[in-house]
Amino acid sequence: MDNNVYIALSRQVALFRELEVTANNIANVNTTGYQAEKMMFEDYLVDGGMHRNDKMAFVHDRGSYHVEKSGRMHATGNPLDVAIDRPNAYFVVETAAGERFTRQGSFKISPDGTLVTLDGLPVLDDANQRIEFEPEDRNISIRENGLIVVDGAERGILGL
């Protein structure tokens, strides 16, 4: 096969991967806490011609990375909804597979009194313990610094 075909194919494969990443970014544009993904490409030269100084330039998909930048924030009216203003911070949640991290800060209180994500995963505090409330607890809020306040008294701090 002609060397030019290999060069063109390497670029097409890289462009196809970039298209996939861009499509995923567009599909998640309204996903709370989503961080966009960007591609990293590299051109490299190889000997490839019949003449001593002939070089061929190939494109290599080196990988991808997440853009660690906070998106827009807006008030939801729910005192349990929180957002992270630091780009490389995550909430800690408990799953069957162990601790996991999320930027999705829409929380609710489960029927058993545990602070959970909308998917029902328990949210952990700064000591990696579940955040639990009593049935008589009222006026629950989370301050800007992650401090959990119940009826005017400090109850704990969200784990980041």
Side-chain angles (χ1 to χ4, degrees):
M1 195 180 288
D2 186 36
N3 290 337
N4 292 335
V5 173
Y6 287 124
I7 293 170
L9 183 60
S10 75
R11 178 67 179 142
Q12 292 303 311
V13 169
L15 285 172
F16 182 74
R17 174 76 175 112
E18 184 177 35
L19 182 65
E20 287 179 325
V21 168
T22 301
N24 188 50
N25 288 339
I26 291 170
N28 285 289
V29 72
N30 290 323
T31 301
T32 303
Y34 179 76
Q35 292 179 319
E37 189 177 1
K38 298 285 184 181
M39 295 299 304
M40 294 185 298
F41 296 104
E42 177 181 66
D43 292 333
Y44 63 95
L45 298 174
V46 296
D47 293 328
M50 299 171 79
H51 304 291
R52 184 177 293 180
N53 294 330
D54 283 351
K55 300 280 186 188
M56 292 188 304
F58 285 88
V59 177
H60 180 62
D61 172 7
R62 296 291 294 166
S64 63
Y65 63 95
H66 289 278
V67 177
E68 293 186 341
K69 180 176 109 179
S70 296
R72 278 184 303 122
M73 294 184 209
H74 62 277
T76 64
N78 180 357
L80 300 179
D81 284 353
V82 291
I84 301 173
D85 195 21
R86 296 184 308 197
N88 58 349
Y90 298 85
F91 298 109
V92 184
V93 296
E94 183 180 292
T95 72
E99 292 177 1
R100 295 296 185 259
F101 306 105
T102 183
R103 289 186 61 85
Q104 168 59 278
S106 296
F107 302 139
K108 63 182 181 178
I109 298 174
S110 69
D112 70 350
T114 303
L115 185 68
V116 297
T117 64
L118 295 180
D119 296 329
L121 299 173
V123 179
L124 303 181
D125 64 12
D126 61 341
N128 288 332
Q129 300 298 312
R130 289 183 177 194
I131 300 168
E132 298 178 345
F133 300 100
E134 300 298 325
E136 62 274 0
D137 286 342
R138 301 285 180 258
N139 301 320
I140 300 168
S141 64
I142 302 173
R143 296 196 177 150
E144 285 186 25
N145 61 357
L147 183 67
I148 301 164
V149 179
V150 179
D151 297 323
E154 296 178 4
R155 179 66 63 91
I157 297 177
L158 284 175
L160 290 180

